Structure formats: structure tokens, C-alpha cells
Amino acid sequence: MEIIPAVRKQYVELAEPSLSDSDADLLRLERATGPVKADLPLLRRLPGLLRSCGFKGTAVLTDHHLVDFEPGDTTDKCYGVAFDIGTTTMVGSLLDLRTGEELAVASAMNPQVSFGDDVVSRIGYASESPDRLEELRSRLVDAIGEMILQLCRDASVSNECVYEAAFAGNTTMEHLLGGMEVQQLGQVPFVPAHARGLVVPSKELPLPMHRGASCYLFPLIGGFVGGDTVSGMLATDIAAADGPVLMIDIGTNGEIILVSDGKILAASTAAGPAFEGARISCGMRATRGAIEKIVLPACQQEGDQVAGRDDDLRLSVIGGVDPIGICGSALVDVTAALLDSGVVTPEGRMLLGEELPADLPVAIRSRARAGENEQAEFVLAVGSDDRNDISITQKDIRELQLSVGAIRAGVQILLGMAGLEGKDLRRVLIAGGFGSFIRRSKAQRIGLLPPDVEHGRIHYVGNASLNGARFALLSTAARRKAEDLARGAEHVELSQDTNFQAVFAEAMIFPSG
Amino acid sequence: MEIIPAVRKQYVELAEPSLSDSDADLLRLERATGPVKADLPLLRRLPGLLRSCGFKGTAVLTDHHLVDFEPGDTTDKCYGVAFDIGTTTMVGSLLDLRTGEELAVASAMNPQVSFGDDVVSRIGYASESPDRLEELRSRLVDAIGEMILQLCRDASVSNECVYEAAFAGNTTMEHLLGGMEVQQLGQVPFVPAHARGLVVPSKELPLPMHRGASCYLFPLIGGFVGGDTVSGMLATDIAAADGPVLMIDIGTNGEIILVSDGKILAASTAAGPAFEGARISCGMRATRGAIEKIVLPACQQEGDQVAGRDDDLRLSVIGGVDPIGICGSALVDVTAALLDSGVVTPEGRMLLGEELPADLPVAIRSRARAGENEQAEFVLAVGSDDRNDISITQKDIRELQLSVGAIRAGVQILLGMAGLEGKDLRRVLIAGGFGSFIRRSKAQRIGLLPPDVEHGRIHYVGNASLNGARFALLSTAARRKAEDLARGAEHVELSQDTNFQAVFAEAMIFPSG
């Protein structure tokens, strides 16, 4: 990709005014930069600025707009931030706009989770009153502002030299970031306020960037299929695929894109936050102390090398410390293993005592117990005095079934619309911060990925939404392409598909293995 | 002129969203209006706005920008204001943007006069500190805001339906209106901050208009030759003249344009506020109570019909009331008459007693007296008990000499540059609120207009600056033309002309008649 960001800097040494050359200040500058317009706040300061530095300084330009004029040569300080604003998790990246080099990365919880852990509950909250919308908006903007300052500290960069931001988020997140009304998003037919990409002055949010900085919000496709999907399509260039390609962005709001025969189908599905550790009894994000990988010897496969007793389960904990919870990838692991070992039935029932398979190793069998409210649970780690046991409960399995079922049903409906089956897919792309850490075979085992897709055709594309935001930060051509992708995709409103409920109910049943 | 204003209204009835038509709100609107962008504050409200009126309402558009969406059909309410911002006097006009009809006119003193009565003194004041610049800026903006509200009251129009303003002012006035630094305008080579026309959100000034309204500030030519000159050129179409044409805009800041052989020469000259009644002992604006016309029988000409005693002077007072002062046109009249009758010499000395011509009627002679500080003065009206006499003093004559000399010297220098004399001029256009009221023969008598121009070639064009602002309000093509005029004119910096002082000194001597 050619790096041609929206913002550029140009160092100029202008002739000082004289009787024979008394052009106005801005005209004088334009002789070096080409035609530009300046907003009133900058024009007010321009005469003093130019004279304070002897007419030698750096013009900060976007398109034909003068963002600022900085004394001296500051062309080596030109930064931007790219963000993936997830329903649960936000990731930001600080880039050098000249080289595209990434200088820092930061992630944080979306502070709106305390108002509801999925988009529907947030829409409900924000719709109650303008104050509540404002509450959600300002909490989000404040948290993003903190992340920008953190990124700048980490890279020893002044936030006054951050001139652009690019935001990819789902429809609801982009609306809440902009402070747009969302009532209409909470009702059929789920209509967004806008769909094209937006360029918004950063001071209108506001964010701690250069005072003349701009924020780019990705275009939306429609309904809940938002800018993060477009961004992911941009990053993976999926529309240019030469055979049927499926992309699944696994997050609280799951997105599914199917490209086939030059047609792009896009759907959103309410997967819930289980993959990000929420709504799971011992769930947590994939940070220090999280169990991120689990292997049961009964279903051990090549490559599953994890320390532990021979016939007992083996855990891998982020940071190598005592475990304090379980993150999404291990949740998929343990569910796959419990299905394989017969502790959990395809219908999702967790067995206890006599019901358990007879050939189950004792070390495993002893972990299945009746916990709180006689609910079945499977103990992963025994807590010390000051810490509770870490378990997977029957309720956790149900939660996962809902999440898996939502994505699986969406995939099946899109494939059906295109007249395809899983085996017809040339490639399956797994996107999302969480997606990168799941093991393909385990995800296929629980039905999260189509079981009939050849293992080698499944690829991780990382946080494609963040990557696309990086592209948009570095290239205005990428923004134009994003606009085309958004308008070229056909939005499929899954909830209004007459088959959805039936397909969903069936999709919640785990594959029989 | 075709009326195609920058702002237009379009009533639309949009299809309500449905499952088969779930386009985003703004995209839905664009299906009716064509592609538009909306700022974040409007986007935030758009979903609620559209639904509150059943998707039937009026889009307010400028170019490809959505200014607002108003419930119902408001296409018949679309207004704009045009302003001539003079150093001393401001005139505003409220127009119906659909028809071009003028609905109200208002004029007021520029409140900055209390900080200095010419541009140089205001630049000096504003340059002392940012606070003083802000003081001048806000006083002006407040006064303009008051005028807008007054115009709206007079026409029974809501100021929320005023979507555009166009401002023509000299360089200093436009800088102070925008709040731009002016230090550099106070020093050779007198460099403005900008020269192209500006479009500024009205909320940045701020002015009491629609919240999304825009303000257009005319382009400047250079130095002190500003937007009012460009506006006047636009209104008179002077650049298209088929022979040498001179335009003089008589105001505190006088502007002179000479068009000859396809070349446009433009100069500014510090005429001072005498013509607007300031710096004159009994001076006042041309309002009720002002003596606006004076005839001395000694120099009576056909058409000079004014009530009065046969051999004494005759006065005409605005409103037909007792006089309370003298305005610019009468100042020119009386000076011409005093020159003709020999009371004032061509050098500007006012004679007394024995020095007065022997054939002067007694009634006139008795009006010449030694006043305060033994200064010669000529009594125009004897005051009643509670009112002082109204006189023209020696000092007033000196003030007028400076004003006339400044304009006359400017005209001579421009004519000289073009190799022309007054008699070569095809037409002479007199612009400015004051200009319309002076009598051509009297103005020629005192040298304010070139004496060698045939009487019939002198035309009044009224407040051409205000007229041009009206054009710019009603036509974007007019704005483009203004830009071309501003950039196509050659700015002549009179004060830097080596001959200026000599020409000026000579120009202060009144023609010998």
C-alpha cells in the first residue's frame, strides 16, 4: 500500500513581505503549498505565527485545508492513531504517518460494558434519555482519550502532533462514539443515522489530539454491520478473492462476510461477549493470569504440548502465574475436550457421577461436580485459601452454545443464500482479537467454524478491523475503497430471515464429533 | 442576475424505512437531494428529526452540505442578510433568498468609532493587546447581531430562518470582524492575513442566525483596498466597462478604482470621517435634524430651490425640524458656496471683517465672525436658548481639505499611471452612502471630483458595496466573479508613491473656480 495519508507536512521558507511583494499572508503561503483554505481560528493567529518564525515553518495540510502552521521544521513529527472500537474491547495503535511504522499499541475494556455487555442493552440504555446517551458517549470518548495519551507516552510523542484518527467500530459503537441517536437502531428495521464514512473535527468529540485534527469514522454497511466489518474487508482485500471466501469476525457483535461470484453478503449476529470472557462465571480477558489453553489427555492431539499430570488436564496460563480465570480460547478448548471425552453431550448437558463415561480417567472424573445450586460444573483449577476454584459451569456451556449458535447460524444462512456448503469455501478468514488465539480444530469441534472446511483453508487474519483502520490512516485511497466496499456489500438482516430461529436452534447443538 | 444562492431548500417526502428498504437516514435523504455531507451536530439529531415529522420535511442545503432538516415544508422561509461594514457607518439588508426581494434595511454607527474614527487608530488600538482586539471584534459583532435582529423584527421573520450573510468591508473592518490579528496591517508593507473570500460558520463569530448558517466575507485586493471595493466593482460591473471609468467610493476609508484598457488599478486613501460628519465641529450623520443642503444666493444656480430670505443662505434640514448639526453633503455645499463668494480662499483660509469681499451681502457677511480662540467661523444657524449656534469653522475647512486632498491626490496618481486626464474618462461613478447625496457640481467645485469631467458623465451608484454584498448573497457565480476581480486588480499603495506627498499637498488647494 502506498502511504499517502490525509494529513501531510511541508516545510516552507517564505519570502518576507516587502513593498514590491505585499501579498496577503495566506496567499504567500499558498505560493509554496498550492491553494489551501484555513479556518477562522487559524487565520486569526496566522499573521503572528508567520512573523514569530521569520516566515520559516511547517504547514500542516489535509487535502486543500491548512490545519496549522508550526514554526521551524516539524516534518518529522506527524502521527496518527488507528482504533478498533469493539463492544467489549478497544485496541489503539499509534502510527508514524510518514513511514507507516507502528510506535505503540494499547488495549482497554470498553467502559460502556458497565451499562450493558452487548449492543442491544446499550441501545436500550441510551434510548432512555438524552442524558444516558451522553453518558455512554462521554465515557467512551474519555476512555479513548486516555488511550491516546497512553500511546503517546509509550512512544514519547506529543499528543499535539497527532493529526488524524481512524475509527473502526460496529454500527452501535460508531453511533455512540459520535453521540448520534440510537433509538431507531433498536427497532426493526434497525436503521443507522448515516452509512458513509465521516470526517469529524477531533475537537467535536473531543479527543486529546492536535486542535485541528480530524477523526475518520469508517462507513457502515447497514443495520448492525458496521465500520469494523468494512475495515476488515479492506484489510484482507476479501472482495478481490478468486473463489468463495468467508470471513468471521468473532466478537461480542459477530460479523460474517461471504464473498462469492463477485457478490458480497454481510451479516451481523449477536454472539454475546462469552468469547471475550464476559457472562462466563470465571471468565476474563486474555491478560496475565488467564488460562488460555487447556488440553485433556483423553483428547490430546499432536502439538497440544502443555505441562501437567499425564492423565489429568493441562493448563497454560498467560504470564506463567497461578490462574485467576479463563479466557475465550481456553473456553473453546475445554468445551471441545469435554465434548470429546463425553463429559458434555452434543446438546450441551454437562454430565455428573453415574452419567459420566465409564472410561473417563479418575483425575478428570473427579473434576466434575455439583456446584452452587446443584449446578454441574467442571473444576479447572483448585483455588488457594484466598481464591475460589476456577470452574466451567453448566451455565457457561449454555452461554457458549448461544454464542456459537449465533455465528454458526449466520454462516449457514449466508452459505445457503449463495448456494454453497462449507466444503466449497476456498478460504475461511478468522478475524478479531480473540479469533487469533483459538485453535482451528477446537473451533471446528464445537461448531464455531464450519466442520466441513479443510483445516488448511482456515486462516487467521488477526485484528483485521484495527488493520483496516491503520490502512485508512495511511491512505486516502483506502478510504475511498472502504466507501466502495460498504456500498457494494449486500446487508443480510439475519433476525428477519424466516429460517433464522430454526437454523439457530439447530446450530446450538454441538457437532457430534 | 440569475438567483442561485449558496443556500437552497428542498421539501422532501421520504419513504419510511422498512425491512426491504433499511437504508441509513442520511442515505435515504440523499436519494432525494443528491449526495450531501452533514456535520456531527446535525447527524446526532437527524434520526429523531426525520421520525418526528414522518420523514416529510425540508432539507436546507449549501453545495453538498446538509445545513439542517426542518419538519414540514419551510421552503418559503429562506432568508439572508447582506452588509456593508464601513469604518463609520454600517448598512444591512434582509433579502428573501428565493426571490431576491429586499424585506428590510437598517443602518447603524460602527460601534468601534469610540475606539478611533479611522482604520489607522483602530489598528493601533487592536495591536496593543489581544484583549483590545477582542474588544473591537466583539463590539462589532454584537452590533451586527443587533442589526440582524432588528431587520428580522422589521420584516416579521425569524432569525432562525436566516441561513447566509455576506459582508463587504474594507480590509481592516473584515479583519476586525473575523478577529484576525492586525498588527501587520499597521506597518509597511500593510499585509492582510488573507485575501481570498472566506466562508465562516456564523456560530464562530457568533451571530444570531440559523445555527448552521454561513457568513461570506468578500475577498480583498491588498493593503487597505478591501472587500467593499471588490463588492462595489461587482455591483457596478465596472471591469466590463468599454472606456476608461473611474469609481470613487467616498467614505472614511476612500477607495478609488480606475479601469482602463482592461487593466484595473485600485487604491485606498485615508479620507477621514469628515464626509460622515465626524471631526467636524457641528458635524453629524445624515439623519433627522441634519442640515443636508445649503445654498448661498450669491452662488445660486438653477435648481437650488431652498426656502430662506432672499439674500441670505438657505438651508434644508432632514425631517423639516430645527437644525441640530450639519452632514457631509451640506458641508460640501457650504464650502463650495464660501469659495464662490470669496469667504474662503482657494488655500482654505476663512476670511473675516475687512478681508471679506466688498460685494458680499450683509446677511452673509454678518455670519462670518471670530469664534472660540479667535478662530474664524461661519454661522449657519443661530441656536435657541438651549442650543448652540451651528457653524462651520476654520478647522472644519482644514479637515475637509485633508479629506478632499486625499481622494483627489489618489485620483490624480491613478490617472497619471494610466496616462489619462479627467476629460478622458468615459464615466465617473460615485459610490458610498454619502456619495449619493452630494451634488456633482459642488463636489467638482471643491475638487472632490475631477473638475474637467463633463457633468453628464458623473453617475451615482449608491451604496455599491452593499449592492455587491446583495449579489454575493443571491449568487455563487457572483462570488466567483468577486474572487476573479480581487485577484485581477492591481493594488496601488499610494502612501509609497514617491510623488504622493507633493500631489497631496497640491490637491489640498481648492480649485480656483
Side-chain angles (χ1 to χ4, degrees), chain B residues 80-86 88-95 102-110 143-155 167 285 287 463 466 470:
Chain B
V81 283
F83 274 88
D84 166 45
I85 305 295
T88 304
T89 308
M90 309 191 291
V91 190
S93 166
L94 177 70
L95 299 185
E102 181 163 75
L103 306 177
V105 185
S107 74
M109 287 287 280
N110 184 326
I144 293 170
E146 278 306 312
M147 289 177 76
I148 292 174
L149 295 175
Q150 183 62 50
L151 288 166
C152 289
R153 275 193 300 269
D154 290 351
F167 292 97
R285 287 171 61 218
T287 54
N463 190 334
L466 179 63
R470 288 189 183 104

Side-chain angles (χ1 to χ4, degrees), chain A residues 8 10 12 26-37 59 61 63-66, chain B residues 196:
Chain A
R8 68 186 174 89
Q10 183 182 348
V12 297
L26 189 56
L27 277 185
R28 182 173 304 274
L29 182 59
E30 287 180 37
R31 287 174 359 198
T33 62
V36 291
K37 293 192 174 189
L61 304 154
D63 202 10
H64 293 292
H65 191 82
L66 181 66
Chain B
R196 294 191 198 282

Side-chain angles (χ1 to χ4, degrees), chain B residues 190-223:
Chain B
F190 315 114
V191 178
H194 72 102
R196 294 191 198 282
L198 296 180
V199 175
V200 174
S202 76
K203 65 185 172 208
E204 282 190 15
L205 293 178
L207 288 172
M209 305 166 63
H210 181 276
R211 63 174 118 183
S214 292
C215 297
Y216 170 74
L217 276 69
F218 263 83
L220 314 173
I221 293 176

Side-chain angles (χ1 to χ4, degrees), chain A residues 17 19 23-27 30 40-41 43-44 47-48 51 178-179 181 184 189 191-196 198 200 204 496, chain B residues 17-19 23-27 30 40-41 43-44 47-48 51 178-179 181 184 189 191-196 198 200 204 496:
Chain A
L19 277 170
D23 269 358
D25 287 344
L26 189 56
L27 277 185
E30 287 180 37
L40 193 54
L43 261 185
R44 286 174 174 163
R51 285 162 185 78
E181 290 179 351
Q184 77 291 347
V191 178
H194 73 103
R196 296 191 197 281
L198 297 180
V200 174
E204 283 191 13
Q496 301 304 313
Chain B
S18 66
L19 276 170
D23 268 359
D25 287 342
L26 188 56
L27 276 185
E30 287 180 36
L40 193 55
L43 262 185
R44 286 174 174 161
R51 284 163 186 78
E181 291 179 350
Q184 78 289 346
V191 178
H194 72 102
R196 294 191 198 282
L198 296 180
V200 174
E204 282 190 15
Q496 301 305 311

Side-chain angles (χ1 to χ4, degrees), chain A residues 194-198, chain B residues 8 10 25-39 42-43 46 59-69:
Chain A
H194 73 103
R196 296 191 197 281
L198 297 180
Chain B
R8 68 187 174 91
Q10 183 181 350
D25 287 342
L26 188 56
L27 276 185
R28 183 172 305 273
L29 182 60
E30 287 180 36
R31 289 179 348 203
T33 61
V36 291
K37 295 194 173 187
D39 287 343
L42 176 57
L43 262 185
L46 189 63
V60 186
L61 304 153
T62 66
D63 202 10
H64 293 291
H65 191 82
L66 181 66
V67 175
D68 204 353
F69 184 86

